[in-house]
């Protein structure tokens, strides 16, 4: 979603489309007058939404610029939470997003925006269209820094090489000094340009009397450069024995290269979220009273407006097509991989893309009432939530960094009497190698990657903690209606009177069924439509008795004089004896005799049986609990391969079953339709709300399956297990890396350039390992 191009646009502090650059599109500490524009309630909807859980409170989702590590995230959280009226602040370093809940009666947005800017960070709307462009600019700058550092490193290495291989007397003092001066000159661009982000962030931390991961790195760079510079200017002095420009440039190059690759990998993870969030257009063509069209901002649309959506544009609101037909891409919203046809009378959802023709749409839902807004809200919540393991890592980040500084100082003091120059380089190695980036990224990187992969299939994750719970489940409990089965019914066996063809009977029944909205009538109509049997009979004098059936005059087209009276409906309505059957039956009779009986069955999802079989193959116990009759539950359970089932269950019965399973030490995942399964969904270890009719923003489930594939439940469980495997791999790697490298650095056996490679490689390996999760998902081709 982007901000509109009109006079009512939000202030430039949150909108780069005002003609300013990215650096001007954020609140600055001295922009208090401009920030007060944000206090206008009409502007809040541009970056906030009312908080459902707290009356009079708002939830704002913003991106944080200038944040690079877990310590930064904790600093941002502390700055926001200290503002009176801010109820909560959740900041994720891995996604660089923040969710702020604030009381409109106690604080205005400008206040906590000023607090955030005062702490040295900048806020941007989380759904800003220009976020991708800002990331591209940032990646381009990062690449330039890497290239400058790499070019200078190669030249410095060329000048340093003679000093390493020369025998005593091969190099004159003048030549050695010339090579040092050349190395010093080539190192200046690295220090002044390539290293500038580290020094800027470190100085900001010093000014605000705090610590982040950039501070030890910047200290290591500065110490190495100062020592080497002293050795260059005064070769006979304390530090003149050796210079370390080659180690410095190599360390900077590998560190920047690692961060650049990490940035690229993290952008790929963020891509799925932004592709979903930034689908709405800025403006749209609205039909005027004279039939013409005017381009208006999306925020000015009202209910019952008629809008024109052209090919290549996204639908800005939920509505109904009133003219035209087209194909629509709903893949990121429902997980549907192929375009779906939409014609007059069909529903379209905001955020989906019009692919083919021009259509006119009657607006039915806007803003926060649309499914798109609800999905975005859930994705934002997931991107800012912190898993338990990640919270533990963030908690120890600041104490760990303080310990790094103390360890570096102690190592320097230990070696100082032996060799001051070597002591300083040992301290540099300790400062560099102990950066806890890999530890902080280990958990959220994997879970965000998995959440992005599921989002591409239409499975939305409400909280990242759910992956931990889902990976541990050993039992899956299914609801029946709307979950294992679809809400609609399908036609089963047909019994007809002697001399009557089944297709002829179905054509007669469907002609009557078209006059009713009853689910049974809809099933007959759909079955006849699939066989091309509609349009052969004409109906008049229709009378419907709600819940019982229809009566009408029926005749073939062109033979109105031979119309017969028929009835369609229940056995009671048709004057027949009530049959003992588990399935619903619809009867067709005329004035003289019984004509046909149509048996209707629940429409079991096509992939239900294969999903149940796959879950069993994983060693999971599967059960079915339904509020319908026991016979109906037994039939569906038998059709899909579930051995444990129970019918006539109230919501309390389901909750009791769940609690008993938990008392028996089972970890249960519940799959329901989200309509009457709220208590059991909330009480489960992990839960899935299935179906598009679920009110997404209020659902109790951890995972929301917005598509039509039951197999996504099995996929999510499989992915959760792989995710936790990757998390454990990342944590073990981060722990082993520090356990091995820190003693080596303290002992003076790890040079600074190798410490830089180790630090960059550790973070890169963690993120790359997490990214494997997004590539493990099969491309779905199923409708």
């Amino acid at each position: 979603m982007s901000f509109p191009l009109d006079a009512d646009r939000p202030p430039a502090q949150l909108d780069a489309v005002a003609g300013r650059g990215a650096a001007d599109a954020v609140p600055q500490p001295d922009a208090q007058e401009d920030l007060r524009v944000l206090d206008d309630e009409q502007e809040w909807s541009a970056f906030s939404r009312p908080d459902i859980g707290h009356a009079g409170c708002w939830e704002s989702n913003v991106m944080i610029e200038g944040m690079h590590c877990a310590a930064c995230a904790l600093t941002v959280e502390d700055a926001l939470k200290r503002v009176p009226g801010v109820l909560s602040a959740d900041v994720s370093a891995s996604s660089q997003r923040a969710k702020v809940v604030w009381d409109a009666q106690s604080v205005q947005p400008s206040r906590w925006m000023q607090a955030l800017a005062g702490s040295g960070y900048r806020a941007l709307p989380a759904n800003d269209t220009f976020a991708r462009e800002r990331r591209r600019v940032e990646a381009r700058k990062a690449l330039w820094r890497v290239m400058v550092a790499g070019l200078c490193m190669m030249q410095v290495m060329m000048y340093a090489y003679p000093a390493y291989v020369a025998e005593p007397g091969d190099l004159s003092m003048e030549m050695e000094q010339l090579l040092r001066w050349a190395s010093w000159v080539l190192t200046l661009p690295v220090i002044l340009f390539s290293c500038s982000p580290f020094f800027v962030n470190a100085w900001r931390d010093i000014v605000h009397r705090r610590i982040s991961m950039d501070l030890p790195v910047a200290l290591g760079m500065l110490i190495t450069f100062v020592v080497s510079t002293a050795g260059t200017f005064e070769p006979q002095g304390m530090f003149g024995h050796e210079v370390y420009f080659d180690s410095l440039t190599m360390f900077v190059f590998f560190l920047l290269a690692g961060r650049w690759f990490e940035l690229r990998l993290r952008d790929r993870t963020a891509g799925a979220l932004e592709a979903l969030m930034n689908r709405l257009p800025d403006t749209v063509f609205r039909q005027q009273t004279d039939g013409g069209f005017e381009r208006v901002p999306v925020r000015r649309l009202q209910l019952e407006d008629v809008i024109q959506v052209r090919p290549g544009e996204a639908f800005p609101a939920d509505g109904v097509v009133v003219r035209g037909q087209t194909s629509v891409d709903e893949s990121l919203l429902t997980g549907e991989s192929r375009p779906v046809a939409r014609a007059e009378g069909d529903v379209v959802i905001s955020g989906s893309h019009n692919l083919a023709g021009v259509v006119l749409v009657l607006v039915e839902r806007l803003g926060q009432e649309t499914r798109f807004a609800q999905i975005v809200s859930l994705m934002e919540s997931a991107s800012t939530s912190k898993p338990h393991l990640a919270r533990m890592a963030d908690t120890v980040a600041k104490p760990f960094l303080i310990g790094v500084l103390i360890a570096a100082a102690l190592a320097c003091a230990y070696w100082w009497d032996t060799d001051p120059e070597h002591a300083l380089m040992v301290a540099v190695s300790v400062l560099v190698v102990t950066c806890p980036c890999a530890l902080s990224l280990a958990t959220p990187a994997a879970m965000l990657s998995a959440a992005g992969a599921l989002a591409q299939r239409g499975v939305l994750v409400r909280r990242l903690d759910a992956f931990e719970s889902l990976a541990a489940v050993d039992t899956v409990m299914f609801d029946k209606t709307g979950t294992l089965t679809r809400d609609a019914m399908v036609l089963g066996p047909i019994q007809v009177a002697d001399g009557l063809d089944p297709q002829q009977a179905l054509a007669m029944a469907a002609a009557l069924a078209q006059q009713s909205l009853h689910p049974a009538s809809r099933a007959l109509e759909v079955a006849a439509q699939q066989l091309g049997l509609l349009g052969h009979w004409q109906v008049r004098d229709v009378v419907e008795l709600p819940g019982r059936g229809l009566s009408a005059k029926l005749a073939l087209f062109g033979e109105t004089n031979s119309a017969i009276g028929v009835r369609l409906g229940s056995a009671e309505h048709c004057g027949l004896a009530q049959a003992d059957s588990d399935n619903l039956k619809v009867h067709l009779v005329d004035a003289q005799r019984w004509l046909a009986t149509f048996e209707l069955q629940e429409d079991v999802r096509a992939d239900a049986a294969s999903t149940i079989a796959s879950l069993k193959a994983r060693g999971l116990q599967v059960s079915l609990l339904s509020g319908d009759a026991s016979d109906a539950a037994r039939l569906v359970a038998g059709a899909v391969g579930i051995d444990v089932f129970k019918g006539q269950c109230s919501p309390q019965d389901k909750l009791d079953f769940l609690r008993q399973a938990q008392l028996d030490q089972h970890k249960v995942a519940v799959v329901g339709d989200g309509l009457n399964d709220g208590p059991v969904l909330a009480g489960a270890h992990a839960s899935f709300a299935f179906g598009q009719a679920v009110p997404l923003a209020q659902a109790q489930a951890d995972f929301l399956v917005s598509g039509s594939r039951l197999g996504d439940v099995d996929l999510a469980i499989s992915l959760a297990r792989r995710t936790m495997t990757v998390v454990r791999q990342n944590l073990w790697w981060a722990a082993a890396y520090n356990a091995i490298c820190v003693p080596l650095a303290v002992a003076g056996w790890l040079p600074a350039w190798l410490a830089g490679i180790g630090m960059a490689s550790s973070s890169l390996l963690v993120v790359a390992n997490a990214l494997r999760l997004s590539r493990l998902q099969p491309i779905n081709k199923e409708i």
Side-chain angles (χ1 to χ4, degrees), residues 448-748:
L448 282 173
S449 182
L454 288 179
Q456 292 178 349
R457 292 181 57 90
V459 181
L460 307 177
V461 184
R462 293 186 69 238
R463 59 183 185 88
L464 296 183
D465 272 345
F467 281 111
E468 296 181 51
S469 303
L470 185 61
V473 300
D474 56 20
T475 303
V476 183
M477 189 181 83
F478 285 92
D479 179 42
K480 180 176 71 68
T481 306
T483 305
L484 290 173
T485 67
R486 304 180 191 273
D487 293 331
M489 307 190 76
V490 293
L491 179 63
I494 303 176
Q495 301 176 16
V496 296
D498 293 339
L500 186 64
D501 182 71
Q503 290 196 359
Q504 182 183 10
L506 179 58
M508 296 171 64
L512 270 72
Q514 286 182 291
Q515 316 302 315
S516 172
L517 297 177
H518 192 278
S521 298
R522 177 60 180 163
L524 293 174
E525 181 185 354
V526 170
Q529 184 178 19
Q530 292 174 346
L531 296 174
L533 301 177
L534 297 180
H536 299 297
W537 296 83
Q538 56 182 347
V539 182
R540 58 185 174 88
D541 302 335
V542 179
V543 176
E544 180 175 7
L545 297 177
R548 298 179 61 187
L550 297 158
S551 300
K553 297 289 186 180
L554 192 65
L556 287 169
F557 272 101
E559 300 181 10
T560 55
N561 293 330
S562 58
I564 59 173
V566 294
R567 284 178 288 173
L568 178 72
S570 64
E572 179 185 3
H573 178 65
C574 296
L576 302 175
Q578 189 74 32
D580 184 16
S581 174
D582 296 327
N583 293 330
L584 173 64
K585 292 185 177 181
V586 177
H587 307 277
L588 178 68
V589 299
D590 61 14
Q592 287 78 34
R593 61 173 182 155
W594 163 80
L595 298 178
T597 296
F598 306 92
E599 185 173 321
L600 301 181
Q601 301 172 345
E602 290 189 278
D603 186 12
V604 178
R605 295 187 185 273
D607 61 344
S610 60
T611 299
I612 300 303
S614 179
L615 292 174
K616 287 182 175 180
R618 298 186 190 281
L620 298 172
Q621 301 180 29
V622 184
S623 58
L624 168 64
L625 273 71
S626 174
D628 289 348
S630 298
D631 290 338
R634 175 176 53 81
L635 288 174
V636 172
V640 301
I642 295 178
D643 300 323
V644 179
F645 62 88
K646 184 178 181 182
Q648 296 180 325
C649 293
S650 65
Q652 184 62 45
D653 292 334
K654 294 182 180 181
L655 188 59
D656 292 341
F657 182 92
L658 171 67
R659 288 173 175 169
Q660 184 58 49
Q662 291 172 338
L663 289 175
D664 294 337
Q665 305 304 313
H666 291 292
K667 298 187 183 300
V668 185
V670 174
V671 186
D673 61 6
L675 298 176
N676 59 354
D677 296 323
V680 71
L681 289 173
H685 288 87
S687 53
F688 295 81
F690 207 90
Q692 298 183 7
V694 178
L696 297 178
Q698 301 177 3
Q700 297 294 324
D702 302 315
F703 299 87
L704 302 172
V705 185
S706 57
S708 60
R709 297 174 300 271
L710 198 64
D712 286 339
V713 174
D714 177 56
L715 175 66
I717 294 175
S718 172
L719 184 59
R721 291 181 173 182
R722 292 199 299 270
T723 299
M724 295 312 299
T725 298
V726 169
V727 167
R728 285 190 288 270
Q729 291 172 349
N730 287 349
L731 290 174
W732 275 111
W733 161 251
Y737 160 77
N738 281 283
I740 295 173
C741 292
V742 171
L744 292 177
V746 173

Side-chain angles (χ1 to χ4, degrees), residues 52-71:
I52 298 176
H54 304 86
C57 296
W58 288 71
E59 176 187 306
S60 299
N61 285 273
V62 293
M63 296 176 59
I64 308 298
E65 285 195 345
M67 184 174 65
H68 303 286
C69 63

Side-chain angles (χ1 to χ4, degrees), residues 51-116:
D51 184 61
I52 298 176
H54 304 86
C57 296
W58 288 71
E59 176 187 306
S60 299
N61 285 273
V62 293
M63 296 176 59
I64 308 298
E65 285 195 345
M67 184 174 65
H68 303 286
C69 63
C72 295
L74 293 176
T75 298
V76 172
E77 285 187 1
D78 292 341
L80 291 170
K81 290 178 179 178
R82 284 197 298 266
V83 178
V86 173
L87 303 184
S88 66
D90 297 308
V91 183
S92 172
S94 55
S95 64
Q96 296 185 331
R97 294 173 181 268
K99 181 177 72 174
V100 185
V101 179
W102 46 280
D103 186 351
Q105 301 297 322
S106 304
V107 67
Q108 296 297 305
S110 61
R111 178 67 186 88
W112 58 264
M113 282 282 187
Q114 289 171 13
L116 188 60

Side-chain angles (χ1 to χ4, degrees), residues 274-336:
E274 288 192 355
L276 176 66
M277 294 173 59
N278 298 331
R279 292 172 70 90
L280 295 190
D282 294 329
T283 60
V284 68
F285 285 101
R286 181 174 61 186
Q287 191 174 45
Q288 298 175 296
T289 54
D290 60 0
F293 292 91
E294 62 172 343
R295 183 177 285 276
V296 298
V298 170
R299 66 189 300 192
R300 288 187 176 179
L301 288 179
Q302 298 179 355
L303 298 180
E304 306 299 328
D305 280 349
V306 176
I307 58 176
Q308 183 187 73
V309 182
R310 302 178 179 183
E313 295 179 343
F315 292 94
D318 292 352
V320 176
V321 177
V322 295
R323 185 185 302 173
Q325 57 184 5
T326 186
S327 296
V328 178
D329 177 13
E330 299 179 350
S331 57
L332 284 181
L333 301 174
T334 66
E336 189 63 70

Side-chain angles (χ1 to χ4, degrees), residues 221-291:
M221 294 175 179
L222 186 60
I223 292 172
T224 305
F225 182 72
V226 169
V227 169
S228 300
T229 300
T232 301
F233 280 83
E234 192 177 353
Q236 305 303 323
M238 179 186 300
F239 304 114
H241 174 68
E242 187 177 356
V243 293
Y244 302 91
F245 294 120
D246 53 339
S247 295
L248 174 60
T249 53
M250 186 182 296
F251 154 54
V252 172
F253 170 73
F254 282 111
L255 179 58
L256 290 176
R259 286 205 172 185
W260 182 75
F261 280 114
E262 179 186 331
L263 180 65
R264 293 293 302 272
L265 295 176
R266 290 168 71 176
D267 282 350
R268 290 184 57 182
T269 301
L273 176 60
E274 288 192 355
L276 176 66
M277 294 173 59
N278 298 331
R279 292 172 70 90
L280 295 190
D282 294 329
T283 60
V284 68
F285 285 101
R286 181 174 61 186
Q287 191 174 45
Q288 298 175 296
T289 54
D290 60 0

